[in-house]
Amino acid sequence: MQSNNNSYRKLNPSQHVFELYLFVNPIGLKCLNSEHEVLHFIESLELNEGFKVHFRFLTFHNFNTVTQYMKRLNMPTNDLQLRNQIYETIYEASLAYKAALMQGKKRGRKFLMLLQKELNINMAEYSSDLLIEVAKGANLDVEMFLEDKASSFVKSSYDADQKIAQEMNISNNPSLVIFDNFNQQFGVLLEDVINCELIEKAFNHANSLDHQSQMPQQKKARSVGKSYLQIIK
């Protein structure tokens, strides 16, 4: 990873910890691409720079994000039956992802990305059979996965993720929030376009950010507060 702004390299990696929260649509291709970009950047940052990174992929959706998804795929947004079907599919896929996470973060992420690949690249139809196939591909215990998906705990965990998104003022999928432990007041939010170049710029600004006026000049970037993060640590 080549850097145009090496401000984070001046810091002590052993003391510097980054926190990343990527909000995604579990059935979206654009979100799959963003997940690949984030994972690639994290791998480069940890391998080449030695910094510690804590990260999570969280699903999020509401009326507006469903509209964005439909427009992206040139679907008629005034088709209420189709809209409700998409909303329910995203909800079910979100529960499936949360259930997969119960068997480990890596397996959960693998499940999420395999599901997105099947739906968007292999053009599979969303179904219970597809979830089982993807669960097997992610090396999950399928029986346990199905039990967890139907559990009240997974539903509560899903609701908690929606609350986190609301408190971070998330309105788009994908959205990436970046914090670092040297700045306890503000973080950086990237929306819509998420790639390694923009993530690196956001990282460098997150290091020195103490006021919104210091935000990078990106239409899709803004600052977010951190005071509520204790609920997700």
Side-chain angles (χ1 to χ4, degrees):
M1 180 180 62
Q2 299 295 321
S3 174
N4 296 322
N5 183 341
N6 296 327
S7 62
Y8 61 79
R9 297 185 181 181
K10 299 176 183 178
L11 299 170
N12 186 342
S14 65
Q15 299 176 351
H16 201 194
V17 180
F18 291 103
E19 299 173 283
L20 277 71
Y21 304 89
L22 179 64
F23 295 88
V24 300
N25 176 351
I27 66 172
L29 177 60
K30 190 170 188 177
C31 291
L32 173 61
N33 294 334
S34 296
E35 290 153 18
H36 281 298
E37 291 288 313
V38 169
L39 289 174
H40 177 70
F41 182 84
I42 291 173
E43 181 181 4
S44 298
L45 188 68
E46 292 182 326
L47 179 65
N48 299 327
E49 313 302 336
F51 290 108
K52 183 179 295 185
V53 181
H54 298 154
F55 69 98
R56 291 175 62 185
F57 292 171
L58 301 91
T59 61
F60 167 71
H61 71 292
N62 58 21
F63 180 86
N64 290 329
T65 61
V66 171
T67 298
Q68 293 164 14
Y69 175 75
M70 295 179 72
K71 287 182 177 179
R72 193 170 291 150
L73 297 182
N74 295 316
M75 296 178 176
T77 57
N78 59 347
D79 187 331
L80 295 183
Q81 182 176 355
L82 178 60
R83 174 183 292 277
N84 290 336
Q85 178 183 340
I86 292 172
Y87 191 97
E88 183 65 21
T89 298
I90 295 174
Y91 173 67
E92 288 294 322
S94 296
L95 294 182
Y97 169 53
K98 296 300 292 185
L101 285 171
M102 297 287 287
Q103 298 186 41
K105 292 181 179 180
K106 288 185 178 180
R107 289 183 180 181
R109 287 194 300 272
K110 184 176 181 180
F111 173 88
L112 172 66
M113 298 173 78
L114 281 176
L115 178 62
Q116 292 165 323
K117 179 181 178 181
E118 286 296 323
L119 293 172
N120 295 283
I121 298 177
N122 296 336
M123 305 306 294
E125 183 177 351
Y126 185 89
S127 66
S128 297
D129 289 340
L130 177 63
L131 291 183
I132 292 174
E133 179 183 336
V134 172
K136 291 178 179 178
N139 299 317
L140 299 180
D141 180 319
V142 175
E143 183 177 354
M144 183 183 300
F145 163 74
L146 294 175
E147 289 178 359
D148 288 336
K149 182 178 178 294
S151 70
S152 59
F153 179 84
V154 159
K155 290 181 173 62
S156 297
S157 182
Y158 160 83
D159 290 338
D161 285 354
Q162 306 313 295
K163 183 177 180 181
I164 292 169
Q166 292 168 6
E167 296 203 11
M168 288 191 184
N169 296 315
I170 302 300
S171 58
N172 296 283
N173 280 324
S175 288
L176 177 66
V177 181
I178 302 170
F179 294 105
D180 84 81
N181 63 323
F182 285 5
N183 187 326
Q184 298 299 316
Q185 292 184 322
F186 293 103
V188 175
L189 168 63
L190 293 178
E191 297 177 304
D192 192 39
V193 178
I194 297 174
N195 55 46
C196 286
E197 180 181 359
L198 289 177
I199 297 171
E200 183 167 4
K201 289 181 180 179
F203 261 71
N204 289 324
H205 280 275
N207 291 332
S208 59
L209 184 63
D210 59 16
H211 192 273
Q212 286 189 351
S213 63
Q214 293 178 274
M215 285 300 301
Q217 297 301 310
Q218 298 284 343
K219 290 192 298 182
K220 294 296 185 179
R222 54 189 171 90
S223 67
V224 291
K226 192 179 181 181
S227 60
Y228 50 81
L229 274 188
Q230 291 181 354
I231 65 174
I232 57 178
K233 285 185 177 178

